[in-house]
Amino acid sequence: MTTEGKKSWGSHYDTPPGYPLSIIHFILLGGVILSRPRRHKNFGTIVYPESAPDNWRQLLSELKVPAIISPLHDRDTTEDGEIKKPHFHVLIMYDSVKSLEQAKEDISSFSGVGCEVVRSIRGYARYLIHADDPNKY
């Protein structure tokens, strides 16, 4: 206790030093952990030119969210050697955290297919251009 009679743990949750909040919440909630959905800043998707509108890049631009678009991947192959459908990879980088559902809503507006959390912008950018796989184009 401090001289003012307040706890000095420094947290508005009043957690003692050395105890993670999740443990305290688990105890306080009687063994039930209530967690909110994880939120992230960076998401990746794929755009197939054959099924996207001609103006998909414009639609992406209208979101006012920084994004990186890969070169057209038109020579990627499956493990069986079959050529994959031509596609673009798109990395979307929000200024603040978003839920997966919020990202999916934005991605669907320009006909992106799928939505994945991107933890490393640098790693994903290298993937976009196949920097670490010389056998891909």
Side-chain angles (χ1 to χ4, degrees):
M1 296 270 186
T2 64
T3 56
E4 294 91 29
K6 295 182 181 177
K7 294 178 183 169
S8 60
W9 296 333
S11 170
H12 65 282
Y13 291 108
D14 292 329
T15 55
Y19 287 89
L21 289 179
S22 60
I23 300 278
I24 297 301
H25 287 151
F26 183 76
I27 293 167
L28 293 176
L29 294 172
V32 178
I33 293 181
L34 303 174
S35 62
R36 64 180 184 162
R38 293 185 152 272
R39 297 164 62 87
H40 305 276
K41 286 187 173 186
N42 308 308
F43 297 87
T45 190
I46 294 176
V47 174
Y48 294 101
E50 70 180 25
S51 58
D54 291 338
N55 68 337
W56 72 268
R57 286 186 172 112
Q58 177 62 34
L59 296 171
L60 171 59
S61 176
E62 289 172 4
L63 293 174
K64 306 292 186 211
V65 177
I68 299 173
I69 302 170
S70 74
L72 179 64
H73 290 203
D74 58 355
R75 296 185 229 166
D76 289 354
T77 58
T78 65
E79 291 179 8
D80 299 332
E82 294 182 37
I83 295 180
K84 294 181 179 181
K85 292 192 305 187
H87 60 278
F88 294 95
H89 292 270
V90 179
L91 170 62
I92 300 172
M93 301 166 288
Y94 293 100
D95 290 331
S96 60
V97 293
K98 303 291 179 194
S99 68
L100 192 61
E101 290 73 25
Q102 289 171 311
K104 285 179 180 180
E105 185 177 331
D106 283 348
I107 287 169
S108 70
S109 73
F110 60 88
S111 299
V113 176
C115 179
E116 65 179 334
V117 173
V118 174
R119 300 198 190 286
S120 169
I121 293 174
R122 181 178 181 184
Y124 200 79
R126 292 182 65 79
Y127 175 72
L128 293 180
I129 61 170
H130 297 309
D132 301 314
D133 194 345
N135 297 324
K136 288 193 172 187
Y137 301 94

